[in-house]
Amino acid sequence: MDEEKGLVCVTGGAGFIGSWLVMKLLQHGYTVRTTVRPDPECKRDISYLTSLPGASEKLHIFSADLDQPESFNAAIEGCIGVFHVAHPNPLKEQDEEIVTKKSVEGTLGILRACLNSKTVKRVVYTSSASTISHSGTNKDMVDESTWTDVEFHRSLKVYGTSYVAAKTKTEQAALEFGENNGLEIVTLIPPLVIGGFLCKTLPSSISLFLCMILGNEHNYEYLKNKSMVHVDDLVSAHIFLFENPNAKGRYICSLAQVSLEDMSRFLTAKYPEYQIPTADSLKGIEGHKTCGYSSEKLLKSGFKFKHGLEDMFEGAVQSCREKGFL
Ligand SMILES: NC(=O)c1ccc[n+]([C@@H]2O[C@H](COP(=O)([O-])OP(=O)(O)OC[C@H]3O[C@@H](n4cnc5c(N)ncnc54)[C@H](OP(=O)(O)O)[C@@H]3O)[C@@H](O)[C@H]2O)c1
């Protein structure tokens, strides 16, 4: 464990990315406060957080809900940094207006708490590639200057506009709040996030990613040409941008774009024990056209990716086996 680096807060620390970030911050020498949703009957098992190395001394768990933005105040007071990862569950919450309001107002409440604390030096917000993927411009590769046009996405009449709208409007509102109030806000834009996981439930991105092993054919179309990043690289990028004095604005964090056929070839070679559809049988799948994402800004600032596709698969499969999903 590194030397003490200071007190930081992670919102949504019980989730897939949040819990990995908590683990990594503890390893880096931070004292961490994390928020989980209220659990009055203490039914939820979060031992995967409380049993992390260093957690007994350096991890403090607070209860907070985006529905009540002021509920984050106590966790943020006195922190030097906040990593805002929490977002309403896109599979459970699909009413665009409700989910967008909850996400935007919850986030602005968190940012006000950061401002009022007078101790928070920088906020790192976990955005999403959905905020740059649907500009309607038909580019093959996009960078941080691109913004999704929510109306354009709505006109496509495809699944997911509530998530696309909520993430896009939340990131825009956060950056605007930072500009108007002199609060440093850096946003990270990941595509599909893959790798091992600590949480007890199967993360939705892992479920999508492993659809060829899990047998969820209806998901193939979403993986036709998907960009990906390892969860460990993504959380390292969060910490890198928090610590880098020159970090400013938006940062795409995406390793590579992989075709469904290449995933099939890779999985078949690596896991012959599973019935993986052949690359040839997948050629006819009509996928959604997706653009690539340039991580040049992040790389130019000195960040280095450590994990390739093999690590993403191995981590995801191993965690699924350990937790009984495979
Ligand atoms: N996974 C990906 O592929 C991916 C890609 C791009 C962007 N992202 C972004 O990364 C972030 C984390 O995603 P994830 O994949 O780790 O999902 P996740 O496992 O579902 O984590 C989401 C977190 O948000 C919390 N949350 C949900 N509703 C809340 C509410 N009303 N109040 C307070 N907290 C609430 C959840 O709390 P509970 O644990 O109590 O449910 C959970 O800790 C999200 O902002 C997501 O948009 C993820």
Side-chain angles (χ1 to χ4, degrees), residues 123-139:
V123 179
V124 180
Y125 171 63
T126 316
S127 185
S128 153
S130 65
T131 69
I132 54 172
S133 306
H134 314 286
S135 61
T137 51
N138 240 355
K139 289 182 190 160

Side-chain angles (χ1 to χ4, degrees), residues 5-11 25 30-33 75-76 78-84 114 117 119-124 242:
K5 291 237 183 100
L7 179 63
V8 294
C9 174
V10 177
T11 69
L25 285 163
Y30 288 95
T31 298
V32 182
R33 289 179 180 168
I76 289 170
C79 288
I80 57 166
V82 170
F83 297 86
H84 177 28
C114 294
S117 75
T119 53
V120 173
K121 305 269 179 276
R122 181 173 288 168
V123 179
V124 180
F242 176 65

Side-chain angles (χ1 to χ4, degrees), residues 12 14-17 37 44 64-66 72 85-89 102 126-128 163 167 190-193 205:
F16 166 43
I17 296 169
R37 276 186 295 174
R44 189 159 182 197
D65 197 308
L66 291 166
F72 289 88
V85 184
H87 184 79
N89 186 327
K102 186 187 287 203
T126 316
S127 185
S128 153
Y163 182 71
K167 290 304 284 187
L192 194 68
V193 184
S205 51

